[in-house]
Amino acid sequence: MNKNSSHIMALTPNTSNKRETVCIFGTGDFGRALGHKMIQSGYPVVYGSRSTQISNLIPKDAEVLSHAEAAQKAAIIIIAIQRQHYNFLMPLAEILHGKVLVDISNNLKLNQYPESNAEYLAQLLPGSKVVKAFNTVSAWALQSGTLDASRQVFVCGDDVEAKQMVMNIVRALGLTPLDKGSLLAAQEIENYPLQLFPMWKFPIFLSLGLTAFFFFYCLALDVIYTYIYEKNNFSFFIAITIPNRVCPVMALILLALVYLPGIFAAIIQLYRGTKYRRFPDWLDKWMLCRKQLGLIALAFASLHAVFTLVTPMRAFVSWRTSKGIISQALNNKTEPLNNTNAWISDCYLALGILGFFLFVLLGITSLPSVSNSVNWREFRFVQSKLGYLALIFCTAHTLVYGGKWFLSPSAYKWYLPNIYMLSLVIPCAVLVVKFVLIFPCIDKPLTQIRQGWERNPKHSE
Ligand code: NAP
């Protein structure tokens, strides 16, 4: 009987919804926005400020007191003040003893100070329990309610109970706490808001560099060469023709660069006979930004599709078509349908459409909302198997388009190959090596290595 009643007691919801008072030091932008959100979530809020005058900007249900008075009213104090002013807290050390201090501060530069702001606060007030949180949430997002993209709040601290208390507040505000461990993680958390697309830097710089190279390469061969040797002014090629040559080339090369590091990794593992040695740094970094490379490749492929769709609207294209018709009329001779050409053009288009479709599928499955809903095997199937299929289709699309020009001397202006020939080098190399790697005599040892087998185990008995 007693046992049962204790269960009933445990399941009875807590009828008093009263939340504990939270103190916020600082009535600046962040302090006000957070206070506003906390009051909405049912927390009584008391501000500690240098000026106890109530202003219109401060949430109307909040109290404003001196720092010492406010701190006495709460067990949790959020320090919404810049790090350089933390010294003012030292005379309050006694009042703040045993309290949970939440450090939300950010810096202006990466690794600006030798220690994180949270560790600095913990050094200043060793009697308090410092927790790092909220620094990746912006005051504007808190106030405007546009938190969809940044619901995660990274929390770290040495005192587990204090961390739990802060995580409970985070949850009550409708946000998602993410425990990052001890206060040692604070420096990393403080660096997050200062990072500018960290995973995108290499792919963006690489794409910009390659795009510029191919653009000027085409400009030289298609505009300058034609002007010098054929006296034709095709400078308008800069608007659509050249971009529509550069985009597919970039899409194909970047897609191949998504799969090239995997090939290098396989070769390195086969050579070393183990998977337990780290890859070189450059390869690690390259592997980490494959998704970004793939998404940029997809952007180039989409541009290529759009540029191709507008082709019939171009004045140059209609002029060339009507010129062909007029010359047939003048010669009173209709050119018969060239079946081979019709096959080539249809195959070329079909391969392009299939390649683009798979490209889009790869892009969609790389979205977190989609990748989170498939299991690891399904994700690998799409990204690896269908990814290689996309690479095969896109490479074949380029080969069919340019294949007939390979042996034609007119394709080598200034003895230079056309860019679609250059674009085929990396994809073909990736596909050939991949083909070799799937031979059973190579695939078997590679699979064993990836399952933990070692050719020369260090710790053999
Ligand atoms: P803010 O608007 O400049 O407010 C800072 C507040 O600190 C002031 O309003 C003032 O409050 C207090 N203060 C200023 N000088 C002081 C001093 N010498 N001694 C004691 N208190 C002093 O800054 P904020 O944008 O709210 O940012 C506050 C903290 O939150 C910073 O560490 C920032 O890195 C962090 N943060 C801000 C955002 C954001 O979106 N703004 C986002 C994440 C983290 P009183 O006048 O009431 O004393």
Side-chain angles (χ1 to χ4, degrees):
M1 172 73 190
N2 273 348
K3 215 174 171 192
N4 278 348
S5 62
S6 77
H7 275 300
I8 291 165
M9 288 289 285
L11 289 170
T12 308
N14 183 5
T15 41
S16 94
N17 276 334
K18 191 147 169 43
R19 299 196 192 270
E20 268 191 47
T21 302
V22 175
C23 169
I24 300 176
F25 276 5
T27 55
D29 293 340
F30 198 87
R32 290 196 310 270
L34 190 63
H36 190 73
K37 186 94 184 145
M38 286 193 158
I39 289 172
Q40 277 180 347
S41 308
Y43 285 96
V45 170
V46 52
Y47 282 101
S49 174
R50 291 167 303 170
S51 149
T52 51
Q53 262 183 344
I54 293 279
S55 100
N56 281 346
L57 295 171
I58 294 171
K60 77 172 177 343
D61 292 323
E63 255 186 293
V64 185
L65 303 172
S66 70
H67 292 114
E69 286 169 325
Q72 276 160 348
K73 293 206 165 195
I76 297 185
I77 297 151
I78 294 168
I79 315 289
I81 291 167
Q82 268 88 2
R83 168 189 169 133
Q84 59 268 34
H85 305 310
Y86 280 3
N87 273 338
F88 91 95
L89 293 165
M90 287 177 73
L92 303 171
E94 212 171 299
I95 301 170
L96 298 177
H97 189 90
K99 306 241 175 198
V100 178
L101 303 188
V102 185
D103 178 282
I104 59 158
S105 62
N106 283 319
N107 294 321
L108 293 176
K109 279 190 258 161
L110 283 173
N111 302 319
Q112 190 173 348
Y113 300 101
E115 74 290 271
S116 66
N117 299 347
E119 287 167 308
Y120 172 63
L121 183 62
Q123 282 164 20
L124 285 181
L125 300 163
S128 306
K129 301 165 190 170
V130 175
V131 175
K132 180 94 207 169
F134 290 113
N135 68 309
T136 51
V137 181
S138 83
W140 176 81
L142 268 179
Q143 209 149 21
S144 60
T146 47
L147 275 163
D148 283 349
S150 54
R151 279 195 179 274
Q152 275 183 347
V153 174
F154 301 101
V155 183
C156 74
D158 292 338
D159 189 297
V160 178
E161 213 179 308
K163 203 160 56 173
Q164 273 309 326
M165 286 164 78
V166 176
M167 285 170 48
N168 287 343
I169 295 185
V170 173
R171 275 188 214 101
L173 299 186
L175 306 172
T176 314
L178 207 104
D179 190 345
K180 294 289 279 182
S182 75
L183 219 51
L184 285 175
Q187 187 114 32
E188 190 185 321
I189 300 179
E190 284 170 17
N191 282 341
Y192 286 155
L194 296 169
Q195 286 168 347
L196 189 66
F197 304 122
M199 289 295 162
W200 285 89
K201 256 188 207 150
F202 169 67
I204 286 178
F205 284 130
L206 180 75
S207 313
L208 286 177
L210 284 177
T211 308
F213 169 74
F214 285 124
F215 183 85
F216 288 111
Y217 195 87
C218 285
L219 190 73
L221 298 193
D222 297 333
V223 178
I224 300 174
Y225 181 94
T226 326
Y227 186 72
I228 295 174
Y229 293 101
E230 295 163 17
K231 299 285 172 254
N232 280 328
N233 180 2
F234 285 159
S235 53
F236 60 89
F237 273 13
I238 289 172
I240 290 188
T241 306
I242 294 182
N244 200 22
R245 277 186 197 160
V246 174
C247 286
V249 163
M250 286 301 299
L252 184 59
I253 292 180
L254 291 180
L255 183 63
L257 289 181
V258 171
Y259 293 97
L260 188 57
I263 300 273
F264 282 141
I267 294 172
I268 290 174
Q269 286 176 334
L270 276 171
Y271 173 74
R272 289 176 175 169
T274 178
K275 70 164 186 177
Y276 295 115
R277 273 171 61 195
R278 274 200 58 187
F279 291 129
D281 264 4
W282 58 267
L283 188 57
D284 262 343
K285 284 186 189 145
W286 189 352
M287 300 254 236
L288 286 175
C289 62
R290 283 180 294 178
K291 174 177 159 180
Q292 287 72 12
L293 281 170
L295 288 175
I296 298 178
L298 174 59
F300 277 113
S302 311
L303 280 175
H304 172 47
V306 176
F307 278 130
T308 307
L309 286 176
V310 300
T311 301
M313 293 180 214
R314 298 178 59 201
F316 173 65
V317 174
S318 23
W319 169 79
R320 216 172 41 181
T321 314
S322 46
K323 198 177 134 200
I325 297 167
I326 292 166
S327 92
Q328 286 186 46
L330 287 176
N331 296 332
N332 200 13
K333 196 175 143 208
T334 312
E335 273 181 23
L337 173 70
N338 183 331
N339 237 299
T340 316
N341 276 351
W343 261 106
I344 290 177
S345 108
D346 280 9
C347 288
Y348 153 72
L349 290 173
L351 286 165
I353 291 166
L354 288 174
F356 185 63
F357 168 75
L358 289 176
F359 229 131
V360 173
L361 200 69
L362 292 177
I364 292 173
T365 42
S366 74
L367 295 173
S369 54
V370 180
S371 57
N372 288 345
S373 65
V374 291
N375 66 29
W376 176 235
R377 201 161 168 213
E378 291 161 343
F379 183 75
R380 278 207 46 187
F381 172 77
V382 175
Q383 293 296 326
S384 175
K385 302 276 186 309
L386 295 187
Y388 266 108
L389 197 59
L391 186 60
I392 291 172
F393 280 143
C394 295
T395 308
H397 170 70
T398 315
L399 272 168
V400 173
Y401 168 75
K404 60 182 174 185
W405 300 108
F406 274 114
L407 297 175
S408 157
S410 67
Y412 296 87
K413 296 172 185 167
W414 279 324
Y415 303 104
L416 293 170
N418 223 312
I419 59 161
Y420 59 80
M421 295 184 197
L422 295 181
S423 75
L424 284 166
V425 176
I426 300 175
C428 287
V430 169
L431 290 175
V432 169
V433 181
K434 179 69 186 173
F435 182 67
V436 174
L437 287 174
I438 55 175
F439 274 29
C441 58
I442 297 180
D443 183 52
K444 212 172 142 200
L446 185 61
T447 311
Q448 282 176 336
I449 288 169
R450 288 182 173 168
Q451 283 170 350
W453 175 83
E454 287 185 281
R455 197 181 303 132
N456 302 311
K458 262 192 192 159
H459 308 291
S460 56
E461 289 171 35

